Amino acid sequence: MLNLLLFFARKTLLLLCIAISSNLFATECNEPKSTLKVSLSNAFPTLPSVASPIAMTQPKKDSSFWFMLTREGEILSFENKESSKSFSKVLDIRSKVDIRLEMGLTGATFHPNYPQDNRLFFVYNDKTHKGRSTLSSIEINPKTLKAEIKTEKVLLTLPQQQPNHNGGNLSFGPDNMLYVGFGDGGYDMASSQSLNNLYGSILRIDVNTSPYAIPKDNPFNKGQDKCDAGTSLQKCPEVFAYGLRNPWRFSFDKQTGELWVADVGEDTYEEINRVEAGKNYGWPSMEGDICFDNKPCKKENLALPVTQYDYEGPQSIVGGYVYRGEKFPALKGHYIFTDTFGTILYSVKADAKSVTKPNTLLTTGRKSVSFAEGNDGEIYLLNFEAERGDVVHLLTGSCH
């Protein structure tokens, strides 16, 4: 999904969090004839530049610091203070990370019980195994915020024949299960409709048993063997939902627990889905709410997106978060997302019905690849824009 953007030179971090300004974008506020206005401002103005920032996370029980991932394979830490001036290195696995096209170190999340359980879970493309997607855990020293590669434990792998549509996001849900997203692999799009592999799917696993267990209530779990190498002769019990093309970024609504997934399109629509257990999201039979490639398809058992936009302009959707912070009440209940190449921020209400038209919030002029959410519900956006010189921006909103 990062395609040519990530294929080019090293870029610089921008974190964007939603801020009050006269920059106009249109969406509804509660008061009659009022509009929501959004702009960007530096959140950590003295942080130095960092190459290819691709994800940012903090422990559920500790808001004092952040971990920043670079696509090349570094994990860095910094204090969660506006005056932060430096990064500290947590881990460096650049020697084993494949960075062809869309590959890299793509996501990480702390165990919900950190620091009692000091594991960090992450996904990367393994250079030593032809770029296969690898889900691993590593132990973090809570005092030093350092990790050693010798503590890495591989949980599952998925072979990748192409360096795109690999997915690579992960997050713990409100049920404390670990959710992981993989794309169709860019080789055989029909894999997304097969339950005998992990391609084009959101997985749900229990990591409180080593290396992991299958939750009893997973929709396709009948007691069969795991698909920890990516494929099986039986249905893979890890699969929570399927029929996705490239679920590059997803998140859970802090208030409702709903799972929001952005799915990168082929050549007609980019889409956002509220994903539920056992459902089929259509790819490659459908793209958005239409039959793919003008071929006949049966829509009856396929889930429709919450929102979508066409491919004439922007063309690589980046999923964000439903705003549940306290600083900017006007944003509450809005799902915020963007597009890498369109450099546009969009929103849709969290209770929107299927195929609701998204609101255009702001043209940022920056190419963004990922969001982050603080424990306080504030939203950040990571951006690749080395030439700008600004590092971290805050996204805020108000009704006018």
Side-chain angles (χ1 to χ4, degrees):
M1 104 102 207
L2 302 178
N3 281 336
L4 296 178
L5 174 66
L6 289 181
F7 187 70
F8 290 125
R10 293 161 71 86
K11 300 286 184 179
T12 300
L13 163 70
L14 285 170
L15 296 177
L16 308 164
C17 180
I18 307 177
I20 301 173
S21 155
S22 60
N23 290 336
L24 183 64
F25 65 91
T27 188
E28 294 182 0
C29 287
N30 292 328
E31 296 297 324
K33 297 183 180 180
S34 63
T35 58
L36 179 62
K37 295 185 179 181
V38 166
S39 73
L40 309 173
S41 65
N42 275 326
F44 304 101
T46 55
L47 271 180
S49 299
V50 62
S52 305
I54 204 166
M56 190 171 82
T57 188
Q58 63 182 182
K60 186 177 181 180
K61 299 178 181 179
D62 188 350
S63 300
S64 66
F65 69 94
W66 289 96
F67 273 9
M68 174 73 60
L69 278 67
T70 72
R71 179 200 173 214
E72 285 82 359
E74 290 183 288
I75 301 178
L76 310 170
S77 67
F78 68 96
E79 288 186 282
N80 187 21
K81 295 180 179 179
E82 185 178 1
S83 59
S84 289
K85 296 181 179 179
S86 63
F87 294 98
S88 296
K89 188 168 292 186
V90 178
L91 182 69
D92 186 345
I93 57 170
R94 287 177 291 179
S95 62
K96 62 188 301 183
V97 174
D98 194 328
I99 56 170
R100 289 176 294 147
L101 204 57
E102 296 176 10
M103 290 181 164
L105 172 61
T106 54
T109 188
F110 287 91
H111 192 281
N113 291 327
Y114 180 90
Q116 288 76 18
D117 187 325
N118 66 335
R119 289 178 294 170
L120 180 79
F121 297 84
F122 58 103
V123 174
Y124 66 97
N125 295 101
D126 189 344
K127 182 189 301 184
T128 64
H129 289 86
K130 300 180 180 180
R132 75 178 183 188
S133 292
T134 303
L135 169 64
S136 289
S137 69
I138 202 161
E139 295 178 15
I140 305 296
N141 184 321
K143 293 182 178 179
T144 64
L145 295 183
K146 305 294 183 184
E148 293 187 19
I149 192 61
K150 68 181 181 181
T151 66
E152 180 186 7
K153 293 182 179 178
V154 175
L155 279 71
L156 62 80
T157 60
L158 182 63
Q160 298 291 355
Q161 297 191 50
Q162 297 293 330
N164 60 344
H165 303 189
N166 305 143
N169 195 33
L170 71 168
S171 178
F172 281 92
D175 54 5
N176 288 336
M177 297 294 105
L178 181 62
Y179 292 73
V180 187
F182 292 120
D184 66 13
Y187 176 72
D188 179 10
M189 64 178 69
S191 296
S192 292
Q193 286 298 311
S194 172
L195 289 168
N196 291 56
N197 64 68
L198 304 180
Y199 296 104
S201 299
I202 301 293
L203 315 184
R204 178 177 181 257
I205 60 176
D206 181 355
V207 296
N208 294 306
T209 298
S210 182
Y212 70 89
I214 305 298
K216 291 182 179 180
D217 57 348
N218 267 16
F220 305 108
N221 180 20
K222 304 297 181 184
Q224 67 271 42
D225 292 339
K226 301 174 186 175
C227 291
D228 53 7
T231 61
S232 175
L233 296 176
Q234 306 177 76
K235 291 181 179 180
C236 293
E238 293 91 343
V239 173
F240 179 76
Y242 66 110
L244 298 162
R245 183 175 180 268
N246 191 23
W248 170 245
R249 288 295 181 249
F250 62 83
S251 65
F252 290 91
D253 184 335
K254 282 182 177 291
Q255 180 171 303
T256 67
E258 291 176 310
L259 174 57
W260 289 76
V261 178
D263 198 16
V264 180
E266 172 74 14
D267 55 17
T268 305
Y269 284 120
E270 304 289 297
E271 65 183 80
I272 298 288
N273 296 286
R274 273 192 302 255
V275 168
E276 300 178 28
K279 288 196 173 182
N280 181 350
Y281 289 84
W283 178 255
S285 298
M286 294 180 64
E287 183 180 16
D289 67 338
I290 65 171
C291 295
F292 175 62
D293 204 23
N294 293 318
K295 296 177 181 178
C297 67
K298 295 181 179 180
K299 299 183 181 182
E300 289 80 7
N301 297 316
L302 305 179
L304 296 178
V306 176
T307 190
Q308 62 188 31
Y309 55 85
D310 64 43
Y311 224 71
E312 292 181 2
Q315 55 184 339
S316 199
I317 198 166
V318 179
Y321 294 85
V322 177
Y323 183 79
R324 297 298 182 187
E326 297 297 330
K327 291 183 179 180
F328 311 107
L331 290 174
K332 281 196 172 182
H334 289 268
Y335 176 77
I336 310 296
F337 60 103
T338 191
D339 186 286
T340 297
F341 298 100
T343 70
I344 297 171
L345 290 178
Y346 299 95
S347 76
V348 68
K349 287 189 175 181
D351 60 357
K353 305 300 181 183
S354 295
V355 202
T356 295
K357 183 179 179 180
N359 301 298
T360 299
L361 304 184
L362 179 69
T363 298
T364 69
R366 298 171 171 93
K367 293 183 173 69
S368 308
V369 300
S370 191
F371 289 85
E373 182 185 38
N375 291 329
D376 58 2
E378 300 305 320
I379 298 174
Y380 299 82
L381 179 66
L382 283 67
N383 190 300
F384 285 64
E385 287 287 312
E387 64 274 17
R388 288 186 173 271
D390 47 356
V391 179
V392 183
H393 285 256
L394 178 68
L395 183 78
T396 67
S398 62
C399 283
H400 287 263

